[in-house]
PDB file of all heavy atoms in Angstrom:
ATOM      1  N   SER A   4     -11.559  -0.745  -7.349  1.00  0.00           N
ATOM      2  CA  SER A   4     -10.882  -1.569  -8.331  1.00  0.00           C
ATOM      3  C   SER A   4      -9.375  -1.344  -8.199  1.00  0.00           C
ATOM      4  O   SER A   4      -8.929  -0.392  -7.558  1.00  0.00           O
ATOM      5  CB  SER A   4     -11.361  -1.207  -9.737  1.00  0.00           C
ATOM      6  OG  SER A   4     -11.071   0.150  -9.996  1.00  0.00           O
ATOM      7  N   ILE A   9       2.131   1.981 -11.007  1.00  0.00           N
ATOM      8  CA  ILE A   9       3.377   1.229 -11.112  1.00  0.00           C
ATOM      9  C   ILE A   9       3.597   0.460  -9.811  1.00  0.00           C
ATOM     10  O   ILE A   9       3.652   1.063  -8.736  1.00  0.00           O
ATOM     11  CB  ILE A   9       4.564   2.180 -11.360  1.00  0.00           C
ATOM     12  CG1 ILE A   9       4.347   2.976 -12.641  1.00  0.00           C
ATOM     13  CG2 ILE A   9       5.879   1.415 -11.411  1.00  0.00           C
ATOM     14  CD1 ILE A   9       5.315   4.128 -12.811  1.00  0.00           C
ATOM     15  N   GLU A  14       9.449  -0.476  -9.647  1.00  0.00           N
ATOM     16  CA  GLU A  14      10.284   0.695  -9.378  1.00  0.00           C
ATOM     17  C   GLU A  14      11.617   0.286  -8.763  1.00  0.00           C
ATOM     18  O   GLU A  14      12.663   0.821  -9.110  1.00  0.00           O
ATOM     19  CB  GLU A  14       9.570   1.672  -8.449  1.00  0.00           C
ATOM     20  CG  GLU A  14       8.480   2.464  -9.118  1.00  0.00           C
ATOM     21  CD  GLU A  14       8.027   3.573  -8.213  1.00  0.00           C
ATOM     22  OE1 GLU A  14       7.181   3.292  -7.347  1.00  0.00           O
ATOM     23  OE2 GLU A  14       8.533   4.695  -8.368  1.00  0.00           O
ATOM     24  N   HIS A  18      16.684  -0.095 -10.205  1.00  0.00           N
ATOM     25  CA  HIS A  18      17.951   0.168  -9.512  1.00  0.00           C
ATOM     26  C   HIS A  18      18.201   1.639  -9.254  1.00  0.00           C
ATOM     27  O   HIS A  18      19.334   2.083  -9.235  1.00  0.00           O
ATOM     28  CB  HIS A  18      19.134  -0.449 -10.275  1.00  0.00           C
ATOM     29  CG  HIS A  18      18.999  -1.911 -10.478  1.00  0.00           C
ATOM     30  ND1 HIS A  18      19.074  -2.816  -9.449  1.00  0.00           N
ATOM     31  CD2 HIS A  18      18.776  -2.644 -11.593  1.00  0.00           C
ATOM     32  CE1 HIS A  18      18.910  -4.024  -9.916  1.00  0.00           C
ATOM     33  NE2 HIS A  18      18.721  -3.955 -11.215  1.00  0.00           N
ATOM     34  N   SER A  22      15.097   8.359  -2.330  1.00  0.00           N
ATOM     35  CA  SER A  22      15.534   9.345  -1.346  1.00  0.00           C
ATOM     36  C   SER A  22      14.936   8.964   0.011  1.00  0.00           C
ATOM     37  O   SER A  22      13.940   8.236   0.092  1.00  0.00           O
ATOM     38  CB  SER A  22      15.069  10.742  -1.738  1.00  0.00           C
ATOM     39  OG  SER A  22      13.659  10.834  -1.633  1.00  0.00           O
ATOM     40  N   VAL A  23      15.537   9.481   1.062  1.00  0.00           N
ATOM     41  CA  VAL A  23      15.014   9.243   2.407  1.00  0.00           C
ATOM     42  C   VAL A  23      13.586   9.766   2.499  1.00  0.00           C
ATOM     43  O   VAL A  23      12.709   9.120   3.087  1.00  0.00           O
ATOM     44  CB  VAL A  23      15.926   9.913   3.457  1.00  0.00           C
ATOM     45  CG1 VAL A  23      15.294   9.852   4.841  1.00  0.00           C
ATOM     46  CG2 VAL A  23      17.298   9.266   3.462  1.00  0.00           C
ATOM     47  N   PHE A  27      10.246   7.585   3.543  1.00  0.00           N
ATOM     48  CA  PHE A  27       9.347   7.996   4.627  1.00  0.00           C
ATOM     49  C   PHE A  27       7.932   8.223   4.112  1.00  0.00           C
ATOM     50  O   PHE A  27       6.956   7.912   4.799  1.00  0.00           O
ATOM     51  CB  PHE A  27       9.861   9.243   5.341  1.00  0.00           C
ATOM     52  CG  PHE A  27      10.916   8.949   6.360  1.00  0.00           C
ATOM     53  CD1 PHE A  27      12.157   9.539   6.286  1.00  0.00           C
ATOM     54  CD2 PHE A  27      10.670   8.071   7.407  1.00  0.00           C
ATOM     55  CE1 PHE A  27      13.132   9.272   7.228  1.00  0.00           C
ATOM     56  CE2 PHE A  27      11.634   7.783   8.358  1.00  0.00           C
ATOM     57  CZ  PHE A  27      12.876   8.386   8.264  1.00  0.00           C
ATOM     58  N   ASP A  28       7.792   8.765   2.910  1.00  0.00           N
ATOM     59  CA  ASP A  28       6.464   8.966   2.329  1.00  0.00           C
ATOM     60  C   ASP A  28       5.765   7.621   2.123  1.00  0.00           C
ATOM     61  O   ASP A  28       4.587   7.467   2.475  1.00  0.00           O
ATOM     62  CB  ASP A  28       6.574   9.722   1.004  1.00  0.00           C
ATOM     63  CG  ASP A  28       5.221  10.010   0.397  1.00  0.00           C
ATOM     64  OD1 ASP A  28       4.298  10.414   1.140  1.00  0.00           O
ATOM     65  OD2 ASP A  28       5.078   9.825  -0.830  1.00  0.00           O
ATOM     66  N   GLN A  32       2.397   6.544   4.231  1.00  0.00           N
ATOM     67  CA  GLN A  32       1.148   6.188   3.553  1.00  0.00           C
ATOM     68  C   GLN A  32       0.713   4.773   3.904  1.00  0.00           C
ATOM     69  O   GLN A  32      -0.471   4.524   4.157  1.00  0.00           O
ATOM     70  CB  GLN A  32       1.293   6.360   2.038  1.00  0.00           C
ATOM     71  CG  GLN A  32       1.350   7.804   1.616  1.00  0.00           C
ATOM     72  CD  GLN A  32       1.223   7.966   0.120  1.00  0.00           C
ATOM     73  OE1 GLN A  32       0.412   7.308  -0.523  1.00  0.00           O
ATOM     74  NE2 GLN A  32       2.021   8.861  -0.445  1.00  0.00           N
ATOM     75  N   THR A  34       1.496   2.961   6.614  1.00  0.00           N
ATOM     76  CA  THR A  34       1.048   2.844   8.004  1.00  0.00           C
ATOM     77  C   THR A  34      -0.342   3.452   8.186  1.00  0.00           C
ATOM     78  O   THR A  34      -1.149   2.930   8.952  1.00  0.00           O
ATOM     79  CB  THR A  34       2.047   3.467   8.999  1.00  0.00           C
ATOM     80  OG1 THR A  34       2.319   4.814   8.634  1.00  0.00           O
ATOM     81  CG2 THR A  34       3.340   2.677   9.039  1.00  0.00           C
ATOM     82  N   SER A  35      -0.631   4.512   7.460  1.00  0.00           N
ATOM     83  CA  SER A  35      -1.968   5.106   7.520  1.00  0.00           C
ATOM     84  C   SER A  35      -3.016   4.132   6.973  1.00  0.00           C
ATOM     85  O   SER A  35      -4.095   3.957   7.560  1.00  0.00           O
ATOM     86  CB  SER A  35      -1.990   6.412   6.736  1.00  0.00           C
ATOM     87  OG  SER A  35      -3.268   6.959   6.713  1.00  0.00           O
ATOM     88  N   ILE A  36      -2.703   3.496   5.853  1.00  0.00           N
ATOM     89  CA  ILE A  36      -3.611   2.509   5.262  1.00  0.00           C
ATOM     90  C   ILE A  36      -3.842   1.361   6.235  1.00  0.00           C
ATOM     91  O   ILE A  36      -4.981   0.954   6.493  1.00  0.00           O
ATOM     92  CB  ILE A  36      -3.043   1.973   3.922  1.00  0.00           C
ATOM     93  CG1 ILE A  36      -3.045   3.063   2.859  1.00  0.00           C
ATOM     94  CG2 ILE A  36      -3.819   0.748   3.445  1.00  0.00           C
ATOM     95  CD1 ILE A  36      -2.208   2.728   1.633  1.00  0.00           C
ATOM     96  N   LYS A  38      -3.373   1.225   9.495  1.00  0.00           N
ATOM     97  CA  LYS A  38      -4.083   1.659  10.698  1.00  0.00           C
ATOM     98  C   LYS A  38      -5.585   1.714  10.436  1.00  0.00           C
ATOM     99  O   LYS A  38      -6.390   1.268  11.253  1.00  0.00           O
ATOM    100  CB  LYS A  38      -3.577   3.018  11.155  1.00  0.00           C
ATOM    101  CG  LYS A  38      -4.248   3.514  12.401  1.00  0.00           C
ATOM    102  CD  LYS A  38      -3.725   4.866  12.835  1.00  0.00           C
ATOM    103  CE  LYS A  38      -4.470   5.346  14.063  1.00  0.00           C
ATOM    104  NZ  LYS A  38      -4.057   6.690  14.458  1.00  0.00           N
ATOM    105  N   HIS A  41      -6.964  -1.921  10.120  1.00  0.00           N
ATOM    106  CA  HIS A  41      -7.004  -2.630  11.398  1.00  0.00           C
ATOM    107  C   HIS A  41      -8.024  -2.015  12.348  1.00  0.00           C
ATOM    108  O   HIS A  41      -8.846  -2.714  12.925  1.00  0.00           O
ATOM    109  CB  HIS A  41      -5.624  -2.613  12.070  1.00  0.00           C
ATOM    110  CG  HIS A  41      -4.582  -3.386  11.339  1.00  0.00           C
ATOM    111  ND1 HIS A  41      -3.826  -4.361  11.923  1.00  0.00           N
ATOM    112  CD2 HIS A  41      -4.149  -3.321  10.056  1.00  0.00           C
ATOM    113  CE1 HIS A  41      -2.988  -4.872  11.043  1.00  0.00           C
ATOM    114  NE2 HIS A  41      -3.166  -4.244   9.906  1.00  0.00           N
ATOM    115  N   TYR A  47      -6.587  -7.607   8.424  1.00  0.00           N
ATOM    116  CA  TYR A  47      -5.140  -7.807   8.434  1.00  0.00           C
ATOM    117  C   TYR A  47      -4.729  -8.324   7.059  1.00  0.00           C
ATOM    118  O   TYR A  47      -5.173  -9.389   6.631  1.00  0.00           O
ATOM    119  CB  TYR A  47      -4.750  -8.804   9.526  1.00  0.00           C
ATOM    120  CG  TYR A  47      -5.086  -8.282  10.905  1.00  0.00           C
ATOM    121  CD1 TYR A  47      -6.347  -8.485  11.467  1.00  0.00           C
ATOM    122  CD2 TYR A  47      -4.160  -7.548  11.619  1.00  0.00           C
ATOM    123  CE1 TYR A  47      -6.661  -7.978  12.714  1.00  0.00           C
ATOM    124  CE2 TYR A  47      -4.463  -7.032  12.876  1.00  0.00           C
ATOM    125  CZ  TYR A  47      -5.713  -7.248  13.405  1.00  0.00           C
ATOM    126  OH  TYR A  47      -6.018  -6.738  14.633  1.00  0.00           O
ATOM    127  N   HIS A  48      -3.891  -7.569   6.356  1.00  0.00           N
ATOM    128  CA  HIS A  48      -3.537  -7.870   4.969  1.00  0.00           C
ATOM    129  C   HIS A  48      -2.784  -9.187   4.833  1.00  0.00           C
ATOM    130  O   HIS A  48      -3.099 -10.004   3.989  1.00  0.00           O
ATOM    131  CB  HIS A  48      -2.714  -6.712   4.385  1.00  0.00           C
ATOM    132  CG  HIS A  48      -2.483  -6.823   2.922  1.00  0.00           C
ATOM    133  ND1 HIS A  48      -1.470  -7.591   2.396  1.00  0.00           N
ATOM    134  CD2 HIS A  48      -3.128  -6.265   1.871  1.00  0.00           C
ATOM    135  CE1 HIS A  48      -1.493  -7.495   1.068  1.00  0.00           C
ATOM    136  NE2 HIS A  48      -2.491  -6.701   0.731  1.00  0.00           N
ATOM    137  N   ARG A  49      -1.740  -9.406   5.580  1.00  0.00           N
ATOM    138  CA  ARG A  49      -0.933 -10.624   5.649  1.00  0.00           C
ATOM    139  C   ARG A  49      -0.097 -10.937   4.420  1.00  0.00           C
ATOM    140  O   ARG A  49       0.478 -12.023   4.311  1.00  0.00           O
ATOM    141  CB  ARG A  49      -1.796 -11.840   6.008  1.00  0.00           C
ATOM    142  CG  ARG A  49      -2.500 -11.668   7.316  1.00  0.00           C
ATOM    143  CD  ARG A  49      -3.217 -12.861   7.837  1.00  0.00           C
ATOM    144  NE  ARG A  49      -3.682 -13.814   6.874  1.00  0.00           N
ATOM    145  CZ  ARG A  49      -4.062 -15.040   7.181  1.00  0.00           C
ATOM    146  NH1 ARG A  49      -4.032 -15.439   8.434  1.00  0.00           N
ATOM    147  NH2 ARG A  49      -4.489 -15.856   6.265  1.00  0.00           N
ATOM    148  N   TRP A  58       1.989   2.562  -6.981  1.00  0.00           N
ATOM    149  CA  TRP A  58       2.151   4.020  -7.002  1.00  0.00           C
ATOM    150  C   TRP A  58       1.280   4.582  -8.117  1.00  0.00           C
ATOM    151  O   TRP A  58       1.414   4.200  -9.289  1.00  0.00           O
ATOM    152  CB  TRP A  58       3.603   4.399  -7.233  1.00  0.00           C
ATOM    153  CG  TRP A  58       3.833   5.846  -7.531  1.00  0.00           C
ATOM    154  CD1 TRP A  58       4.236   6.382  -8.727  1.00  0.00           C
ATOM    155  CD2 TRP A  58       3.682   6.961  -6.643  1.00  0.00           C
ATOM    156  NE1 TRP A  58       4.348   7.741  -8.627  1.00  0.00           N
ATOM    157  CE2 TRP A  58       4.012   8.127  -7.357  1.00  0.00           C
ATOM    158  CE3 TRP A  58       3.286   7.078  -5.316  1.00  0.00           C
ATOM    159  CZ2 TRP A  58       3.961   9.388  -6.784  1.00  0.00           C
ATOM    160  CZ3 TRP A  58       3.247   8.333  -4.747  1.00  0.00           C
ATOM    161  CH2 TRP A  58       3.583   9.462  -5.471  1.00  0.00           C
ATOM    162  N   HIS A  60       0.726   7.860  -9.903  1.00  0.00           N
ATOM    163  CA  HIS A  60       1.388   9.162 -10.047  1.00  0.00           C
ATOM    164  C   HIS A  60       0.390  10.320 -10.064  1.00  0.00           C
ATOM    165  O   HIS A  60       0.633  11.349  -9.424  1.00  0.00           O
ATOM    166  CB  HIS A  60       2.239   9.177 -11.316  1.00  0.00           C
ATOM    167  CG  HIS A  60       2.972  10.467 -11.517  1.00  0.00           C
ATOM    168  ND1 HIS A  60       4.064  10.808 -10.749  1.00  0.00           N
ATOM    169  CD2 HIS A  60       2.764  11.489 -12.368  1.00  0.00           C
ATOM    170  CE1 HIS A  60       4.505  11.994 -11.126  1.00  0.00           C
ATOM    171  NE2 HIS A  60       3.733  12.428 -12.111  1.00  0.00           N
ATOM    172  N   GLN A  61      -0.736  10.176 -10.778  1.00  0.00           N
ATOM    173  CA  GLN A  61      -1.705  11.256 -10.893  1.00  0.00           C
ATOM    174  C   GLN A  61      -2.244  11.681  -9.529  1.00  0.00           C
ATOM    175  O   GLN A  61      -2.557  12.842  -9.311  1.00  0.00           O
ATOM    176  CB  GLN A  61      -2.896  10.859 -11.797  1.00  0.00           C
ATOM    177  CG  GLN A  61      -2.531  10.597 -13.228  1.00  0.00           C
ATOM    178  CD  GLN A  61      -2.043   9.158 -13.452  1.00  0.00           C
ATOM    179  OE1 GLN A  61      -1.756   8.423 -12.525  1.00  0.00           O
ATOM    180  NE2 GLN A  61      -1.947   8.774 -14.703  1.00  0.00           N
ATOM    181  N   GLN A  64      -0.081   8.979  -4.734  1.00  0.00           N
ATOM    182  CA  GLN A  64      -0.535   8.138  -3.638  1.00  0.00           C
ATOM    183  C   GLN A  64      -0.168   6.680  -3.892  1.00  0.00           C
ATOM    184  O   GLN A  64      -0.168   6.210  -5.034  1.00  0.00           O
ATOM    185  CB  GLN A  64      -2.051   8.261  -3.552  1.00  0.00           C
ATOM    186  CG  GLN A  64      -2.624   8.091  -2.210  1.00  0.00           C
ATOM    187  CD  GLN A  64      -4.107   8.443  -2.215  1.00  0.00           C
ATOM    188  OE1 GLN A  64      -4.716   8.753  -3.244  1.00  0.00           O
ATOM    189  NE2 GLN A  64      -4.696   8.381  -1.055  1.00  0.00           N
ATOM    190  N   ASP A  69      -4.259  -6.674  -3.474  1.00  0.00           N
ATOM    191  CA  ASP A  69      -4.201  -8.125  -3.296  1.00  0.00           C
ATOM    192  C   ASP A  69      -4.508  -8.532  -1.858  1.00  0.00           C
ATOM    193  O   ASP A  69      -3.620  -8.818  -1.058  1.00  0.00           O
ATOM    194  CB  ASP A  69      -2.848  -8.684  -3.741  1.00  0.00           C
ATOM    195  CG  ASP A  69      -2.863 -10.203  -3.840  1.00  0.00           C
ATOM    196  OD1 ASP A  69      -3.903 -10.819  -3.504  1.00  0.00           O
ATOM    197  OD2 ASP A  69      -1.843 -10.776  -4.240  1.00  0.00           O
ATOM    198  N   ASP A  71      -6.091 -11.286  -1.043  1.00  0.00           N
ATOM    199  CA  ASP A  71      -6.448 -12.705  -1.064  1.00  0.00           C
ATOM    200  C   ASP A  71      -6.116 -13.426   0.234  1.00  0.00           C
ATOM    201  O   ASP A  71      -6.831 -14.337   0.640  1.00  0.00           O
ATOM    202  CB  ASP A  71      -5.754 -13.429  -2.222  1.00  0.00           C
ATOM    203  CG  ASP A  71      -6.288 -13.000  -3.585  1.00  0.00           C
ATOM    204  OD1 ASP A  71      -7.393 -12.412  -3.634  1.00  0.00           O
ATOM    205  OD2 ASP A  71      -5.605 -13.235  -4.597  1.00  0.00           O
ATOM    206  N   LEU A  72      -5.028 -13.049   0.893  1.00  0.00           N
ATOM    207  CA  LEU A  72      -4.625 -13.704   2.141  1.00  0.00           C
ATOM    208  C   LEU A  72      -5.101 -12.965   3.388  1.00  0.00           C
ATOM    209  O   LEU A  72      -4.799 -13.369   4.508  1.00  0.00           O
ATOM    210  CB  LEU A  72      -3.096 -13.854   2.193  1.00  0.00           C
ATOM    211  CG  LEU A  72      -2.468 -14.718   1.107  1.00  0.00           C
ATOM    212  CD1 LEU A  72      -0.953 -14.721   1.245  1.00  0.00           C
ATOM    213  CD2 LEU A  72      -3.010 -16.136   1.160  1.00  0.00           C
ATOM    214  N   CYS A  74      -7.212 -11.472   6.495  1.00  0.00           N
ATOM    215  CA  CYS A  74      -8.173 -12.046   7.432  1.00  0.00           C
ATOM    216  C   CYS A  74      -8.829 -10.901   8.188  1.00  0.00           C
ATOM    217  O   CYS A  74      -8.358  -9.770   8.172  1.00  0.00           O
ATOM    218  CB  CYS A  74      -7.508 -13.026   8.384  1.00  0.00           C
ATOM    219  SG  CYS A  74      -6.365 -12.283   9.540  1.00  0.00           S
ATOM    220  N   CYS A  75      -9.926 -11.215   8.830  1.00  0.00           N
ATOM    221  CA  CYS A  75     -10.709 -10.188   9.487  1.00  0.00           C
ATOM    222  C   CYS A  75     -11.099 -10.659  10.887  1.00  0.00           C
ATOM    223  O   CYS A  75     -11.466 -11.811  11.076  1.00  0.00           O
ATOM    224  CB  CYS A  75     -11.971  -9.929   8.670  1.00  0.00           C
ATOM    225  SG  CYS A  75     -12.957  -8.566   9.260  1.00  0.00           S
ATOM    226  N   GLU A  76     -10.984  -9.733  11.845  1.00  0.00           N
ATOM    227  CA  GLU A  76     -11.453 -10.027  13.206  1.00  0.00           C
ATOM    228  C   GLU A  76     -12.975 -10.120  13.185  1.00  0.00           C
ATOM    229  O   GLU A  76     -13.633  -9.463  12.388  1.00  0.00           O
ATOM    230  CB  GLU A  76     -11.060  -8.899  14.163  1.00  0.00           C
ATOM    231  CG  GLU A  76      -9.604  -8.835  14.471  1.00  0.00           C
ATOM    232  CD  GLU A  76      -9.287  -7.687  15.423  1.00  0.00           C
ATOM    233  OE1 GLU A  76     -10.180  -6.858  15.711  1.00  0.00           O
ATOM    234  OE2 GLU A  76      -8.145  -7.616  15.870  1.00  0.00           O
ATOM    235  N   PRO A  79     -14.077  -5.895  15.372  1.00  0.00           N
ATOM    236  CA  PRO A  79     -12.922  -4.999  15.510  1.00  0.00           C
ATOM    237  C   PRO A  79     -13.049  -4.010  16.658  1.00  0.00           C
ATOM    238  O   PRO A  79     -12.090  -3.405  17.060  1.00  0.00           O
ATOM    239  CB  PRO A  79     -12.865  -4.284  14.163  1.00  0.00           C
ATOM    240  CG  PRO A  79     -14.227  -4.376  13.604  1.00  0.00           C
ATOM    241  CD  PRO A  79     -14.824  -5.647  14.159  1.00  0.00           C
ATOM    242  N   GLN A  80     -14.231  -3.795  17.214  1.00  0.00           N
ATOM    243  CA  GLN A  80     -14.421  -2.868  18.322  1.00  0.00           C
ATOM    244  C   GLN A  80     -14.048  -3.585  19.549  1.00  0.00           C
ATOM    245  O   GLN A  80     -13.855  -3.507  20.563  1.00  0.00           O
ATOM    246  CB  GLN A  80     -15.856  -2.338  18.367  1.00  0.00           C
ATOM    247  CG  GLN A  80     -16.355  -1.792  17.053  1.00  0.00           C
ATOM    248  CD  GLN A  80     -15.483  -0.670  16.444  1.00  0.00           C
ATOM    249  OE1 GLN A  80     -14.758   0.014  17.150  1.00  0.00           O
ATOM    250  NE2 GLN A  80     -15.541  -0.519  15.152  1.00  0.00           N
TER     251      GLN A  80
END
Side-chain angles (χ1 to χ4, degrees):
S4 60
I9 301 168
E14 285 191 276
H18 302 291
S22 68
V23 172
F27 279 123
D28 183 43
Q32 288 191 42
T34 54
S35 177
I36 292 166
K38 181 180 178 184
H41 293 234
Y47 297 87
H48 189 277
R49 301 188 333 164
W58 169 249
H60 181 73
Q61 296 85 347
Q64 210 171 4
D69 192 357
D71 291 343
L72 298 177
C74 68
C75 186
E76 289 180 352
Q80 309 304 336

